[in-house]
Amino acid sequence: MLRHALTRLLTSAVLVFGLTLPALAAKPVVIDVRTPDEYAQGHVDSALNLPHDNITALIAAAVPDKTTPVILYCRSGRRSAIALESLKGAGYSQVENYGSLEEARKRLETH
């Protein structure tokens, strides 16, 4: 009975939200879009450094699956907002802007 209910729930998620099982199970990739110098001064532990002004050229090597959840942050949220628009334009469908480094740290602690 529980298995049937879970199957219905997942089927509903696929139909309503367009989610796939890999998308549901995928661990988010955290990306710091600041400069390498800023990144070197401190960053989220698991974050990759892909500067916002070069992110579309670098993203495919770091995150080849465009349905992988991606979390972006920078110093204030401005550059990560620019990067978010660039990634959406490149076809990435699950991109979130966590704003500043401090805000990203807070939000990621609760995950």
Side-chain angles (χ1 to χ4, degrees):
M1 181 146 159
L2 179 60
R3 177 188 245 174
H4 181 66
L6 190 55
T7 300
R8 283 190 317 185
L9 178 64
L10 288 174
T11 301
S12 296
V14 169
L15 294 174
V16 174
F17 300 108
L19 299 175
T20 61
L21 288 178
L24 290 171
K27 183 177 180 183
V29 174
V30 179
I31 300 176
D32 183 325
V33 301
R34 299 175 303 155
T35 66
D37 288 340
E38 290 173 296
Y39 180 83
Q41 293 173 15
H43 56 272
V44 170
D45 287 339
S46 62
L48 303 176
N49 181 220
L50 304 179
H52 83 284
D53 57 356
N54 206 16
I55 197 163
T56 53
L58 301 171
I59 191 68
V63 186
D65 181 355
K66 293 182 178 186
T67 64
T68 299
V70 175
I71 295 170
L72 306 171
Y73 73 88
C74 62
R75 184 180 57 82
S76 67
R78 186 183 67 79
R79 288 176 284 180
S80 49
I82 294 167
L84 181 138
E85 293 305 318
S86 296
L87 293 181
K88 285 189 172 187
Y92 285 82
S93 59
Q94 296 190 61
V95 186
E96 285 188 76
N97 180 0
Y98 273 24
S100 69
L101 171 60
E102 294 78 22
E103 183 64 24
R105 282 183 171 147
K106 287 179 198 171
R107 291 178 70 179
L108 290 166
E109 283 178 3
T110 62
H111 281 268

